[in-house]
Amino acid sequence: MELPDAQIRLQSKHMGPEPAFLLWVLVVRGGTGAPVPFTKVVLSSTNAYTHTVRASDLDGDGDLDVIFAAKNDQIVGWIDNGDGIFEQFYETRLDRRGGLSSVACGDLDGDGTVDVVAAAQAGNGLYAYFNGGGSFTVRTISDAAKAPSALELADVDGDGDLDLVVASFGGELDWYKNSNGFASPVPFHAVATGLALLKAVGVGDVDGDQYVDVLAFDPYRATPSWWRNPGTMGGSWVQNGASTVKGDVGYAHVMSDGGLYEDAWFPSSIKAYDFDGDGHLDIEFVMWRSGATLVYLNDGAQIFAENVVASNSNTRAAYSVAGDIDNDGDLDVVCAYEEGGTHPC
């Protein structure tokens, strides 16, 4: 959603060796295709290790609010954008439980309000928070999710409601079917198992067949992988990506015995956007340990050409998003680093 006089970009910034984070926004006012000034607004300096931040209109007042998960403080909360440009804002806690590390937002029950889902990595839990117009009701989606690390909401089965796609440190990609607002028991389906540690997941129709595919990183492939949605409930998800390899490829090192180098550079963000405007979804990819940000352009036949947006900086990259920041009609990339702040790329 774009505000009449502003766009906002959200980020949490590492402030030192201890996990103390500032939660802040960059407000972009105006925009005519030329560079525009940013105004930084600090929203919080007390939520330790703010791990994931989203923007959505949680209270239905027409402006974007902030939803976050603070891993060390073990909370999911939201910050009400009181005046549309964060000159007035108010923080509310939705939940407190161990290991809360990722959030996503969307209308889960079709009532027209924005709900929240969250992952508790340490507790193997997935939770839905249903928006009742000022108060939230929590519902457990799963308590056996194998250290969930990243979430996205998408209509995976094409039935008109938002399902939950989950990547886990346990090396699994799964999706959870939304039936009547994730009413128990919630059926889940494996997209892929036996993968290396997963820190990020993306969704989008990569092959243009009208079904939502799933994107993730497999260090044994030379490019980001995507799994084709079979289009049927019992069908098999097929992994796509460059052939199995050994060596310094895909920005992770695969050793000669097939094992992974201890310091493999797993990605912290992977998303699908149409960067070149050709109608095909491309892949945005940011490496956590190296700081590299890459865009893989899809030629329409799902052959991807790598483009380096930001080269290796040896500065840990926490997140990356895309949007038309300067209002010139194309997508720009914003990269966030644990040291050095946030930069347009």
Side-chain angles (χ1 to χ4, degrees):
M1 174 186 177
E2 184 173 310
L3 305 182
D5 61 351
Q7 302 173 41
I8 63 172
R9 299 291 179 264
L10 304 169
Q11 191 52 52
S12 57
K13 180 180 178 183
H14 188 233
M15 297 304 292
E18 297 301 320
F21 279 66
L22 288 178
L23 181 63
W24 47 273
V25 294
L26 296 177
V27 181
V28 187
R29 294 187 173 86
T32 60
V36 292
F38 289 82
T39 302
K40 183 171 83 170
V41 181
V42 177
L43 302 182
S44 174
S45 59
T46 60
N47 292 304
Y49 211 129
T50 303
H51 197 267
T52 306
V53 184
R54 304 274 187 164
S56 192
D57 185 7
L58 222 61
D59 54 3
D61 64 353
D63 55 37
L64 291 174
D65 309 302
V66 174
I67 302 91
F68 66 91
K71 190 173 183 180
N72 282 24
D73 273 0
Q74 304 179 355
I75 64 172
V76 169
W78 72 285
I79 298 174
D80 180 10
N81 182 0
D83 57 1
I85 54 174
F86 284 103
E87 289 183 351
Q88 298 179 22
F89 51 88
Y90 315 93
E91 181 176 329
T92 301
R93 179 178 298 175
L94 295 184
D95 196 9
R96 182 183 181 94
R97 63 182 74 228
L100 288 165
S101 58
S102 187
V103 292
C105 304
D107 185 0
L108 303 178
D109 52 7
D111 66 352
T113 61
V114 176
D115 309 303
V116 177
V117 290
Q121 184 179 307
N124 299 320
L126 298 169
Y127 306 97
Y129 302 87
F130 291 93
N131 189 343
S135 61
F136 288 81
T137 302
V138 62
R139 180 176 295 170
T140 298
I141 298 174
S142 174
D143 57 7
K146 299 184 180 179
S149 55
L151 308 173
E152 291 293 345
L153 289 167
D155 185 7
V156 176
D157 54 3
D159 65 353
D161 53 28
L162 292 175
D163 307 301
L164 180 62
V165 180
V166 181
S168 73
F169 273 12
E172 290 192 8
L173 288 172
D174 300 301
W175 72 277
Y176 292 76
K177 179 175 174 56
N178 183 356
S179 297
N180 300 316
F182 291 108
S184 182
V186 179
F188 82 96
H189 308 271
V191 173
T193 59
L195 301 173
L197 176 149
L198 294 173
K199 293 172 64 70
V201 67
V203 293
D205 182 10
V206 176
D207 56 359
D209 65 354
Q210 308 304 311
Y211 292 103
V212 173
D213 307 307
V214 174
L215 300 84
F217 175 68
D218 181 348
Y220 294 98
R221 301 289 179 118
T223 63
S225 291
W226 63 280
W227 282 259
R228 180 179 284 111
N229 189 331
T232 58
M233 191 64 69
S236 297
W237 292 73
V238 177
Q239 183 177 3
N240 298 269
S243 301
T244 301
V245 292
K246 293 183 176 67
D248 286 312
V249 295
Y251 291 82
H253 186 83
V254 182
M255 296 184 291
S256 59
D257 64 359
L260 290 178
Y261 179 58
E262 182 179 359
D263 290 328
W265 293 344
F266 293 95
S268 53
S269 181
I270 182 168
K271 296 183 180 299
Y273 301 98
D274 183 7
F275 283 102
D276 53 5
D278 65 354
H280 308 298
L281 286 181
D282 310 305
I283 299 176
E284 179 196 41
F285 193 65
V286 59
M287 305 308 300
W288 172 69
R289 191 176 294 275
S290 73
T293 299
L294 312 172
V295 168
Y296 290 84
L297 296 178
N298 180 357
D299 70 351
Q302 296 80 63
I303 298 174
F304 293 88
E306 179 183 296
N307 291 263
V308 178
V309 177
S311 59
N312 289 353
S313 62
N314 294 318
T315 302
R316 292 177 177 177
Y319 204 66
S320 182
V321 294
D324 185 8
I325 294 178
D326 53 3
N327 287 331
D328 65 351
D330 54 30
L331 291 176
D332 309 301
V333 176
V334 176
C335 311
Y337 300 93
E338 290 188 11
E339 299 173 4
T342 298
H343 308 283
C345 299

